[in-house]
Amino acid sequence: MEMTTILHSSLTNPPFTAHLSPSKFPRSFSTPFRLRTSLSFSPSLPPKSFPANCSVSDDTTSSANVASVDLSIALKKKATDVSADLRGTSIFLVGMNNSVKSSLGMLLADLFRYYYFDSDALVSEAAGGESAAISLKESDEKGFRESETEVLKQLSSMGRLVVCAGDGAVQNSTNLALLRHGISIWIDVPLEMVAKGIIGNKSLLLSSEITISGSYSEVLSQLMALYEDMRRGYATADATVSLQKVAYQLGYEDMDAVTTEDITMEVLKEIERLTRVKKMMEAAARPF
């Protein structure tokens, strides 16, 4: 069964397990695979009440809990407001692979009741695992790139998806054109944070150009070179959300203080802006 059929038939009952059709992959990518895609959204609990004689520390904790609940409610409301104009359009997140981008993607999928995919994970599973995908990339670069394009082609033909796109999505004009089937957003995270994430979780980056066994300084140096190659492709996205800018706007001195919810709210605002512009252009194009 094609993934399109499974997506539409299961849309109202996430999470689900989906197939990508293997028939169009290169021979080395012809093994069927399954991928868990969406997470159930758990509504935030109301803040606990504290006794009148609680300490200053307790007051601080209570305030933080209230702020977290308020932001969760605000995110749900904003997503509901945006959904009407979004009309099932898929969201493609581009940028260096990191935990910020993947966590954001899963939360967006929950808020919109969309399905979540990581394109690199699909390519890896089709190849037989992450190590096999890296080996194939080194031995058959053309076949690997063709598989990336095939994954994007299938995903871009559907709606109601949030896709964390790998770097292959911005490396040629064909893939960039496929991203135009949805809304693309560049999640710009400082390379220092990306490098630390790779050191801590080596599965974050499917790239034979990065020596993930190297030191922090070596990984950072390689990331900087890779970023220069990818930056022009990232910049073609419909919008950019910068973690550094979000931290500045919220008054955080430490970018680690920015939460997934914080950056998700900025992404929702960008999606709202883009859908409003599209709506205005459609209205202007109607005959009098």
Side-chain angles (χ1 to χ4, degrees):
M1 182 182 293
E2 292 282 345
M3 187 172 71
T4 307
T5 305
I6 298 174
L7 279 173
H8 288 289
S9 64
S10 308
L11 192 58
T12 58
N13 189 33
F16 79 113
T17 303
H19 288 283
L20 272 179
S21 172
S23 60
K24 298 180 182 179
F25 285 105
R27 178 172 297 180
S28 56
F29 279 76
S30 60
T31 304
F33 60 94
R34 301 170 70 85
L35 180 68
R36 180 72 60 182
T37 58
S38 183
L39 303 177
S40 299
F41 186 81
S42 301
S44 301
L45 297 174
K48 297 179 180 179
S49 58
F50 292 88
N53 61 348
C54 65
S55 65
V56 173
S57 177
D58 290 335
D59 286 339
T60 302
T61 301
S62 178
S63 298
N65 288 339
V66 170
S68 177
V69 171
D70 287 346
L71 181 54
S72 178
I73 293 172
L75 284 171
K76 292 178 187 178
K77 183 180 184 304
K78 177 65 74 175
T80 300
D81 293 342
V82 172
S83 291
D85 289 333
L86 189 59
R87 293 179 290 187
T89 302
S90 291
I91 309 297
F92 294 93
L93 305 178
V94 301
M96 289 286 184
N97 285 351
N98 58 84
S99 60
V100 173
K101 191 173 82 166
S102 56
S103 297
L104 162 66
M106 288 185 278
L107 180 52
L108 274 178
D110 274 337
L111 290 169
F112 285 135
R113 306 307 296 164
Y114 274 22
Y115 296 82
Y116 173 79
F117 286 99
D118 183 304
S119 65
D120 276 351
L122 292 176
V123 172
S124 292
E125 290 201 35
E130 183 182 337
S131 297
I134 291 175
S135 296
L136 180 69
K137 184 176 181 181
E138 294 173 343
S139 62
D140 183 8
E141 178 80 12
K142 182 180 178 182
F144 181 85
R145 295 305 178 193
E146 287 175 352
S147 71
E148 289 182 316
T149 298
E150 182 57 37
V151 165
L152 283 175
K153 188 180 297 182
Q154 292 200 40
L155 293 175
S156 65
S157 69
M158 305 167 205
R160 303 189 67 83
L161 304 181
V162 174
V163 179
C164 270
D167 285 336
V170 301
Q171 287 186 315
N172 63 61
S173 58
T174 299
N175 293 352
L176 287 172
L178 291 172
L179 296 183
R180 294 299 174 193
H181 289 261
I183 292 175
S184 57
I185 300 178
W186 176 12
I187 308 303
D188 190 10
V189 176
L191 296 182
E192 293 81 3
M193 292 184 67
V194 177
K196 290 177 182 177
I198 292 172
I199 296 296
N201 182 2
K202 296 180 180 181
S203 67
L204 282 174
L205 196 60
L206 175 59
S207 175
S208 58
E209 290 91 351
I210 300 296
T211 306
I212 56 179
S213 60
S215 65
Y216 167 78
S217 60
E218 291 173 330
V219 170
L220 179 59
S221 177
Q222 293 174 75
L223 278 175
M224 291 174 67
L226 184 61
Y227 177 82
E228 287 302 313
D229 290 338
M230 302 297 176
R231 183 171 58 178
R232 184 174 297 179
Y234 294 154
T236 64
D238 297 309
T240 300
V241 173
S242 164
L243 183 68
Q244 188 171 11
K245 185 176 179 180
V246 172
Y248 176 79
Q249 291 173 336
L250 295 175
Y252 296 151
E253 294 184 1
D254 185 356
M255 283 183 286
D256 287 329
V258 178
T259 66
T260 301
E261 290 76 11
D262 289 330
I263 199 164
T264 300
M265 179 58 79
E266 293 304 310
V267 170
L268 287 173
K269 290 176 181 177
E270 286 298 325
I271 295 173
E272 182 178 46
R273 179 184 64 81
L274 290 166
T275 53
R276 283 181 176 176
V277 170
K278 181 180 179 181
K279 190 175 182 180
M280 291 172 59
M281 292 176 66
E282 289 174 348
R286 294 192 194 104
F288 291 102

